[in-house]
Amino acid sequence: MSKKVTEVVEELALPILEELQLELVEVEYVKEGKSWFLRVYIDKETGVDLEDCGKASEKLSEKLDEVDPIPQIYFLEVSSPGAERPLKKEKDFLNAIGKNVYIKTYEPILDEKEFEGILTSFDGNEVTLEIKIKTRKKTIVIPYEKVAKARLAITFS
């Protein structure tokens, strides 16, 4: 198979989720122990519930049985991305402005590779964070192409 499992599943899932007015956040295909898991994370403005996950799972499962793109036996899990939702697309970064985020970079910026703070702006090229160091606030600008991983971050105050 020339395409990765996640890419094939994404192509199959998008029209189904669109029809259900749901957004595809991420597709993971991972081996845990002896079992393979196909995880499809979905969301919508108001958040997803069990019914949304059930409908999406049922329709996606039918499509996967029909197309049969995965040779191994696997478990399909459809769920919400949770409170620490990953930020994958530019739209995700724009929606996260004003929220607390965690960002890991490919290479050090100011001798650091991990940052957590309030996402204050995103212009498609740079991510600007306001971080707290003890009692001081500092603004950090991270080039978008240097972002390896990003997600919303829960704060306990």
Side-chain angles (χ1 to χ4, degrees), residues 81-125:
E84 296 201 330
R85 173 189 172 139
L87 305 176
K88 297 274 187 189
K89 306 171 193 117
E90 289 193 10
K91 187 181 102 189
D92 299 335
F93 281 87
L94 291 169
N95 289 340
I97 290 174
K99 295 181 179 152
N100 201 56
V101 299
Y102 163 85
I103 293 179
K104 188 173 189 168
T105 56
Y106 288 113
E107 54 196 56
I109 293 170
L110 305 172
D111 299 326
E112 296 288 330
K113 284 178 84 174
E114 294 185 49
F115 304 90
E116 188 173 319
I118 302 295
L119 178 62
T120 55
S121 75
F122 174 70
D123 65 5
N125 297 312

Side-chain angles (χ1 to χ4, degrees), residues 39-52:
R39 294 195 176 106
V40 179
Y41 296 97
I42 60 172
D43 210 354
K44 67 180 178 190
E45 281 291 316
T46 55
V48 292
D49 58 23
L50 213 50
E51 193 179 327
D52 294 321

Side-chain angles (χ1 to χ4, degrees), residues 6-7 11 14 18 20 31 33 38 44 46 56-57 60-61 74 81-82 84-85 111 115 117 119 126 148 156:
T6 52
E7 291 171 354
E11 284 174 14
L14 280 169
E18 213 167 86
L20 296 170
K31 190 172 187 181
L38 176 62
K44 67 180 178 190
T46 55
S57 178
L60 186 56
S61 184
Y74 62 93
E84 296 201 330
R85 173 189 172 139
D111 299 326
F115 304 90
L119 178 62
E126 294 177 331
F156 301 96

Side-chain angles (χ1 to χ4, degrees), residues 100 109-112 114-121 127-142:
N100 201 56
I109 293 170
L110 305 172
D111 299 326
E112 296 288 330
E114 294 185 49
F115 304 90
E116 188 173 319
I118 302 295
L119 178 62
T120 55
S121 75
V127 179
T128 306
L129 284 187
E130 187 176 274
I131 62 171
K132 253 191 190 161
I133 303 168
K134 292 182 176 106
T135 56
R136 296 179 315 125
K137 285 183 179 178
K138 185 175 179 182
T139 299
I140 305 275
V141 177
I142 302 167

Side-chain angles (χ1 to χ4, degrees), residues 26-42:
E26 185 176 18
V27 175
E28 284 179 346
Y29 187 59
V30 292
K31 190 172 187 181
E32 291 178 6
K34 290 184 170 147
S35 302
W36 282 91
F37 291 87
L38 176 62
R39 294 195 176 106
V40 179
Y41 296 97
I42 60 172

Side-chain angles (χ1 to χ4, degrees), residues 44-87:
K44 67 180 178 190
E45 281 291 316
T46 55
V48 292
D49 58 23
L50 213 50
E51 193 179 327
D52 294 321
C53 293
K55 281 182 193 167
S57 178
E58 192 180 311
K59 287 188 176 291
L60 186 56
S61 184
E62 285 170 10
K63 192 66 169 173
L64 288 167
D65 288 347
E66 180 189 311
V67 179
D68 200 18
I70 304 169
Q72 299 92 340
I73 291 171
Y74 62 93
F75 296 95
L76 172 65
E77 293 178 355
V78 176
S79 68
S80 150
E84 296 201 330
R85 173 189 172 139
L87 305 176

